[in-house]
Amino acid sequence: MDTKLQELLIRAKKDVFSGNLGDNLTTFKGDGLDFREIKEYEIGDDVRKINWTATAKTNSTKINIFNVDKELNIVIIFLVSGSMHFGSVKMKQETASEVVAHLAYSAIKNNNRLSSLCFSSKEETFVPSSKNESTVYQTTKEVLNIDCLEKQIDYKKLCDYINATIKNKALIFLVGDFYGEVDLSSIAYKHEVYSFIIRDKFEEYPYIKGEYDFISPIDFGNTTVQMDKKLASNYQALLRKQDNILKQHFEMHNITSDKIYTNEDVYLRLTQILKG
């Protein structure tokens, strides 16, 4: 086994099995015993769940809603893009693989079914659903070692792929840097979606000054730029604008999301995000 992969998996397994990452994560509605809320009765709702006390008090039919109490179908998707091949502390791709390892071990620990996918504008790799720890190994290995260069995310094709292949409601973890136009609306209405945005502090706050050659990780195009405070400020403004649009999109479609930077403790950040 690759040394870096082995160290990553050992650390992630220790973190997850000595903590409570991902416990009681889902908010899926089901028939379990974990009470969630009381809501107005709608045609088609299960009449066995009518809350007669609340109905009598309000003169309006109310029903109880419970969180799901059964195994989850968890799908981890790594968004393969050339922009992941970057990092001032460590590569964003390596940080993403740490995130994936922790999420994968959490799924196995909680006896859930796990499958994973690396996707760019097409399926790059796929690991079938299982409850075996070998799935964690294979998933993390693919994310850590896949060549991201000269690849770019096509979100429409990603959503079409998910809608065509994942028939049952799933808990979907998307891991990537989420640059460009992102539209996940067609999967968010059916599945519960979490987006983990992997970033490097340097790419959000460039503090270099002088003339530099920038090489695109997508098409290897070369651009010479005279970097100064004004240009850096304009770049930051554009990035903030895009991230604000991204945040609004996630909020509109009830997608839980947050950033994880390459210099942060992955387990700690995941715990903070998943606990809300």
Side-chain angles (χ1 to χ4, degrees):
M1 185 188 295
D2 176 81
T3 302
K4 181 180 290 187
L5 175 61
Q6 185 177 32
E7 291 176 351
L8 192 159
L9 287 170
I10 291 172
R11 184 168 62 250
K13 185 174 184 179
K14 180 181 178 182
D15 285 343
V16 171
F17 281 86
S18 62
N20 60 355
L21 180 65
D23 292 356
N24 303 316
L25 179 63
T26 184
T27 57
F28 284 176
K29 297 174 183 178
D31 297 317
L33 300 176
D34 182 16
F35 176 75
R36 180 181 181 185
E37 63 179 330
I38 297 174
K39 80 171 189 72
E40 197 78 22
Y41 174 83
E42 297 177 3
I43 295 175
D45 285 338
D46 189 345
V47 295
R48 294 173 299 177
K49 297 178 183 177
I50 292 177
N51 186 317
W52 295 107
T53 301
T55 297
K57 288 181 179 179
T58 61
N59 292 319
S60 176
T61 306
K62 305 289 185 180
I63 66 168
N64 295 324
I65 300 297
F66 299 90
N67 287 334
V68 76
D69 188 20
K70 57 184 178 182
E71 72 175 26
L72 304 178
N73 177 29
I74 293 180
V75 183
I76 299 176
I77 302 175
F78 175 54
L79 306 180
V80 183
S81 172
S83 54
M84 292 298 291
H85 190 78
F86 177 81
S88 61
V89 178
K90 62 183 174 186
M91 302 296 281
K92 289 193 289 181
Q93 185 173 351
E94 183 180 341
T95 300
S97 65
E98 289 186 43
V99 171
V100 166
H102 281 81
L103 294 173
Y105 270 124
S106 177
I108 298 302
K109 175 190 174 184
N110 288 289
N111 199 36
N112 294 314
R113 299 198 66 84
L114 170 68
S115 61
S116 66
L117 170 71
C118 291
F119 196 95
S120 56
S121 58
K122 63 179 182 179
E123 175 191 315
E124 298 285 347
T125 66
F126 175 73
V127 179
S129 177
S130 83
K131 293 184 177 182
N132 299 325
E133 191 170 332
S134 60
T135 308
V136 179
Y137 165 77
Q138 191 61 37
T139 293
T140 308
K141 179 183 176 182
E142 298 291 358
V143 174
L144 182 63
N145 294 324
I146 191 169
D147 185 2
C148 291
L149 293 173
E150 296 186 273
K151 293 170 184 172
Q152 195 168 12
I153 303 298
D154 186 320
Y155 287 96
K156 184 180 185 307
K157 288 183 179 179
L158 171 64
C159 291
D160 289 345
Y161 179 98
I162 292 172
N163 288 328
T165 57
I166 305 176
K167 301 301 183 182
N168 297 322
K169 191 171 184 180
L171 180 58
I172 297 177
F173 294 126
L174 296 170
V175 183
D177 53 15
F178 291 90
Y179 286 126
E181 295 184 11
V182 179
D183 185 355
L184 302 173
S185 56
S186 67
I187 62 171
Y189 80 96
K190 177 181 178 180
H191 304 287
E192 187 169 345
V193 181
Y194 285 74
S195 294
F196 300 98
I197 306 168
I198 311 301
R199 296 283 177 85
D200 188 276
K201 287 286 187 181
F202 180 81
E203 65 185 335
E204 294 194 354
Y205 305 96
Y207 46 81
I208 56 176
K209 185 177 181 180
E211 185 175 282
Y212 293 89
D213 288 329
F214 289 91
I215 301 174
S216 168
I218 306 298
D219 59 12
F220 292 149
N222 189 304
T223 303
T224 301
V225 175
Q226 184 66 41
M227 181 65 76
D228 56 24
K229 188 175 181 180
K230 182 178 180 181
L231 183 59
S233 179
N234 290 338
Y235 164 79
Q236 288 175 321
L238 286 172
L239 185 55
R240 281 196 300 270
K241 181 178 180 181
Q242 182 208 285
D243 282 354
N244 285 335
I245 293 172
L246 183 66
K247 182 180 179 181
Q248 290 170 13
H249 175 71
F250 287 157
E251 291 176 347
M252 180 183 300
H253 297 288
N254 297 315
I255 297 172
T256 300
S257 69
D258 213 331
K259 293 181 180 180
I260 300 176
Y261 290 98
T262 56
N263 64 333
E264 292 186 303
D265 183 304
V266 166
Y267 176 72
L268 178 61
R269 283 296 293 129
L270 281 173
T271 303
Q272 293 169 342
I273 296 168
L274 295 178
K275 285 185 176 180

